[in-house]
Amino acid sequence: MDRRSFIVKGAAATAALGSLSLVGCAKPAPVHVFRPQSNELLALVNCRVIDVEAGAIVPDRVLLVRNGLIEALVDPYDERIATARPLDCGGCYAIPGLINAHCHITQPGIAHFSVWQTSKVMEQIERNYTDSLAWGVTTVRDMGSLPKVMARDKIKIDTDELAGPRILTPIGFLAVPGGYPDFAEKLPWMVRAMVGRPSLLASDAAQARDLVKRYHDLGADLIKIALDHRSLMWGHGDLNVFSDAQLEAIRDESLKLGLPLAAHHLYAQGMERGVQFSVDSLEHVAGDVELSDKQVALLAESKVPFVPTASAGINNAYRSQGDPFSDEEELLDLLAWRDERVLPEIPRHCVPKVAQLVGDTVEYYSSEGYRDPKRELPSSFNPQIYTRLVVNGARNLRRLFRAGATIGVGNDSGIPLTFPGALHHEVELLCKNGMPPSIALRAATAVNARICGIDNRCGTLEPGKYADVVLLKHDPLENADALSSVQAVFKGGNLTHLAPGLDLQLG
């Protein structure tokens, strides 16, 4: 059975079994499984609380939750427990809600679709929200959205009309004409009219400053720019880039307005410019070359965090004739990992039609259909770029980790084969590149919270923070795969997901 058939058959099987589990159910989920009364005190008992900063289990602790916040961590004999509603966690491991620090939650995880498939794409977007919660992702930093869809759905999620994670978003890219994301402006006008423009374009420094203000007024939580000088698209070449004057204006205005500045980069040149202009985070990891010792030291010493999104590279990499990286051992190992870990799970994140379209995407690139001029589409990326990014990016990631660089966790969901709830795959990739599971867990929680500027609200299980709690069957300090053993998820003290068979005695 080929990889496309494997995905499509898995989608059919998952759809048939969808009524048995929230994960894999194509029907919209209820907003909450259980919601406590106002001012009701909950006691999460019989759980092993993990201190993600220390990378250790805190013995004999009960989590007290009231009005959506963690009120206290107490010993099992604390007198307050007698006045609380106990929820027996069955010996599960309790971690803070995971944070996906780089995703595109309003994008469907496929390469190509027609206007006639828009309804299924919209269904998938709603699935992305519930899927995130089902896998323990309670907060996402969306890094470029369909603006009209985001504006509508973010309000619904914030007001509990729609089940989904908390969303931080730049709304769209701040870009230059002829620059990255060059594929965004190729969307059909009908699609742009429906979903909004993915990027706003600045021709000079004054316009760049004005667009920072415009995004701020639209409710952006951060500003997103790109520093790439080369396209990722098949048959495309150089891109226009921001001038120094534009970057200075963007940096200055974002500081004035209190908006963090995040910079997309896949090339060493972009990394260096990001450090030069003091961006608040670098998205992805340079993979065009193996970084020099000087470049590694530059990023590590700058303290600018970066979010590698290793999933983005491996989920877009395909072997092809004439590609010098096709036979690299590192690439072959990661492709085998993708076939074993990522592809079988895709139907659990998708509505069935989108899972079929994912299969079409795999077939399109595996057969080198992107090379056929008759089949070429404006959004066809170049897999040969990604094979290089995978190999060099993995090597650079390992060296940057050893050098002490600050590393966050995001999986770039929305691109083909990648979905916002599958953050555990990104954590596994970090561990494959030398990061111990405890450090990777801290990166996906406490470090991500600092990168996103929300560490006063979430990222750790501490009094005064959101009661975002994920219960796991297995110990994530020992094995990264434990993050896929989600048993229950609380967002703001509300139970949003409960695995079949787990009884928290909610009656």
Side-chain angles (χ1 to χ4, degrees):
M1 183 184 299
D2 61 25
R3 287 182 290 178
R4 181 194 183 282
S5 299
F6 187 78
I7 295 169
V8 172
K9 286 182 181 293
T14 301
L17 295 172
S19 61
L20 300 181
S21 167
L22 178 60
V23 181
C25 178
K27 297 179 181 179
V31 176
H32 304 300
V33 176
F34 165 73
R35 184 173 188 171
Q37 298 295 315
S38 177
N39 211 39
E40 182 179 15
L41 184 64
L42 301 181
L44 274 62
V45 302
N46 190 20
C47 62
R48 289 173 263 196
V49 176
I50 291 181
D51 179 343
V52 294
E53 292 281 26
I57 296 172
V58 184
D60 299 323
R61 282 294 178 269
V62 172
L63 278 165
L64 296 182
V65 173
R66 193 196 308 265
N67 295 330
L69 302 177
I70 297 172
E71 185 166 298
L73 276 77
V74 300
D75 66 60
Y77 307 103
D78 191 284
E79 61 184 13
R80 285 171 286 183
I81 297 176
T83 66
R85 180 175 190 165
L87 304 180
D88 189 330
C89 298
C92 288
Y93 297 85
I95 64 169
L98 300 173
I99 301 170
N100 192 333
H102 188 120
C103 72
H104 302 274
I105 200 166
T106 61
Q107 295 178 21
I110 53 180
H112 313 126
F113 64 91
S114 70
V115 173
W116 314 114
Q117 295 163 331
T118 300
S119 64
K120 293 301 179 184
V121 169
M122 292 301 173
E123 189 178 341
Q124 179 60 44
I125 290 170
E126 185 165 314
R127 177 61 173 273
N128 286 347
Y129 304 141
T130 57
D131 187 61
S132 297
L133 292 177
W135 293 88
V137 178
T138 56
T139 302
V140 301
R141 187 174 63 147
D142 182 275
M143 296 304 283
S145 65
L146 305 179
K148 292 183 180 180
V149 177
M150 175 61 71
R152 178 198 68 197
D153 291 350
K154 193 171 186 294
I155 292 173
K156 287 185 177 181
I157 291 171
D158 290 345
T159 56
D160 273 350
E161 294 180 46
L162 183 64
R166 294 185 187 82
I167 301 175
L168 304 172
T169 178
I171 299 175
F173 270 88
L174 198 168
V176 295
Y180 188 93
D182 47 319
F183 48 83
E185 293 303 307
K186 297 182 182 296
L187 288 175
W189 70 267
M190 287 180 59
V191 175
R192 282 195 286 174
M194 290 170 55
V195 303
R197 291 189 62 170
S199 57
L200 297 178
L201 307 181
S203 297
D204 56 32
Q207 275 192 333
R209 186 181 294 274
D210 287 343
L211 289 179
V212 173
K213 296 176 184 177
R214 182 172 173 183
Y215 273 132
H216 172 267
D217 293 343
L218 289 171
D221 300 291
L222 67 150
I223 297 297
K224 171 79 177 292
I225 61 173
L227 301 174
D228 279 359
H229 64 292
R230 295 281 296 174
S231 176
L232 296 173
M233 299 296 104
W234 176 254
H236 295 204
D238 291 342
L239 297 174
N240 294 333
V241 296
F242 287 106
S243 67
D244 286 359
Q246 286 177 308
L247 289 176
E248 288 171 356
I250 292 168
R251 173 75 281 184
D252 179 64
E253 196 62 33
S254 63
L255 283 171
K256 287 180 181 178
L257 296 174
L259 294 175
L261 178 59
H264 163 105
H265 83 298
L266 289 168
Y267 299 93
Q269 174 180 307
M271 182 196 79
E272 292 177 346
R273 289 196 86 202
V275 172
Q276 177 188 351
F277 286 93
S278 301
V279 300
D280 294 296
S281 66
L282 284 162
E283 308 304 312
H284 316 298
V285 61
D288 56 324
V289 295
E290 290 191 53
L291 297 176
S292 67
D293 291 343
K294 182 178 179 181
Q295 289 170 318
V296 169
L298 173 71
L299 183 57
E301 292 170 4
S302 73
K303 303 301 182 185
V304 176
F306 75 101
V307 182
T309 67
S311 297
I314 190 56
N315 286 349
N316 283 283
Y318 294 85
R319 301 177 70 202
S320 59
Q321 293 183 1
D323 181 356
F325 287 89
S326 270
D327 294 321
E328 287 277 353
E329 184 177 346
E330 191 141 33
L331 177 69
L332 297 176
D333 174 64
L334 287 169
L335 288 175
W337 175 86
R338 182 182 71 186
D339 288 353
E340 178 185 347
R341 292 289 295 130
V342 177
L343 296 187
E345 194 179 281
I346 282 174
R348 300 178 68 189
H349 299 284
C350 294
V351 298
K353 179 59 180 177
V354 169
Q356 292 174 13
L357 292 173
V358 171
D360 292 342
T361 297
V362 172
E363 180 183 42
Y364 177 77
Y365 287 106
S366 296
S367 65
E368 302 191 38
Y370 64 92
R371 290 174 176 265
D372 185 347
K374 295 179 182 179
R375 297 179 64 188
E376 184 178 344
L377 299 171
S379 58
S380 295
F381 62 81
N382 186 349
Q384 292 190 8
I385 292 178
Y386 280 96
T387 57
R388 181 181 64 197
L389 292 174
V390 166
V391 174
N392 288 334
R395 293 168 182 168
N396 292 336
L397 173 58
R398 288 193 291 270
R399 293 178 62 215
L400 287 163
F401 172 64
R402 290 195 296 267
T406 301
I407 301 173
V409 185
N411 68 352
D412 208 9
S413 72
I415 66 167
L417 280 69
T418 315
F419 300 89
L423 194 66
H424 50 283
H425 288 155
E426 182 70 19
V427 172
E428 287 180 45
L429 284 171
L430 292 178
C431 293
K432 281 177 70 68
N433 281 291
M435 188 178 285
S438 61
I439 303 299
L441 175 62
R442 184 173 68 194
T445 51
V447 174
N448 270 358
R450 289 193 284 272
I451 291 173
C452 296
I454 54 174
D455 50 307
N456 63 328
R457 290 174 278 167
C458 55
T460 57
L461 298 177
E462 295 182 273
K465 293 190 176 182
Y466 292 138
D468 292 355
V469 184
V470 179
L471 301 181
L472 302 174
K473 185 175 182 178
H474 303 299
D475 185 355
L477 300 176
E478 295 295 327
N479 191 334
D481 187 44
L483 292 181
S484 63
S485 67
V486 174
Q487 301 298 292
V489 180
F490 294 84
K491 176 194 166 192
N494 299 317
L495 182 62
T496 63
H497 170 71
L498 184 65
L502 183 66
D503 183 8
L504 298 182
Q505 301 177 16
L506 298 173

